[in-house]
Amino acid sequence: MSFRIEGQGVQLQVRIDDDSHTGQQVLDAVHACKSLSWWSCPSGECSKIGACESRRENHTTVLMMTPRAGETLSSAGVAECLRYVLGGTEKEAAH
């Protein structure tokens, strides 16, 4: 599984190419981490996410992350979180 992150204004778009996981498995892993004391990942960036919408595009899960009011999302911090919960490699393209 690999993913890439692109800035979309204040939002981050995360494209997760999941060859061995279904889109639902990806979302379940992300939501399970969030439910454990404000996300248990090492960066803590996940606590800044206010909303996360998802959709499927063929074999890709696309997450649109919006920061909480007064926060800014870091693509590097979100990448660290995703590596933690998904165990994938990162192909980051921050624009």
Side-chain angles (χ1 to χ4, degrees):
M1 178 181 304
S2 65
F3 61 88
R4 58 194 176 278
I5 301 171
E6 299 175 353
Q8 305 266 318
V10 298
Q11 295 181 311
L12 291 180
Q13 180 185 69
V14 182
R15 300 182 65 81
I16 303 168
D17 300 319
D18 45 276
D19 48 12
S20 62
H21 297 77
T22 67
Q24 189 60 51
Q25 288 171 323
V26 171
L27 291 174
D28 289 347
V30 171
H31 290 295
C33 184
K34 186 176 180 181
S35 69
L36 298 173
S37 67
W38 263 122
W39 295 39
S40 56
C41 72
S43 80
E45 189 70 20
C46 304
S47 67
K48 297 178 182 179
I49 298 170
C52 184
E53 297 177 17
S54 67
R55 68 179 187 276
R56 291 286 296 166
E57 292 179 1
N58 296 320
H59 297 288
T60 301
T61 299
V62 180
L63 304 176
M64 287 301 293
M65 297 181 175
T66 304
R68 295 167 89 57
E71 298 284 358
T72 302
L73 293 174
S74 159
S75 59
V78 169
E80 185 176 353
C81 293
L82 289 175
R83 282 192 303 272
Y84 176 76
V85 297
L86 301 176
T89 59
E90 171 194 1
K91 293 180 183 176
E92 183 176 324
H95 295 263

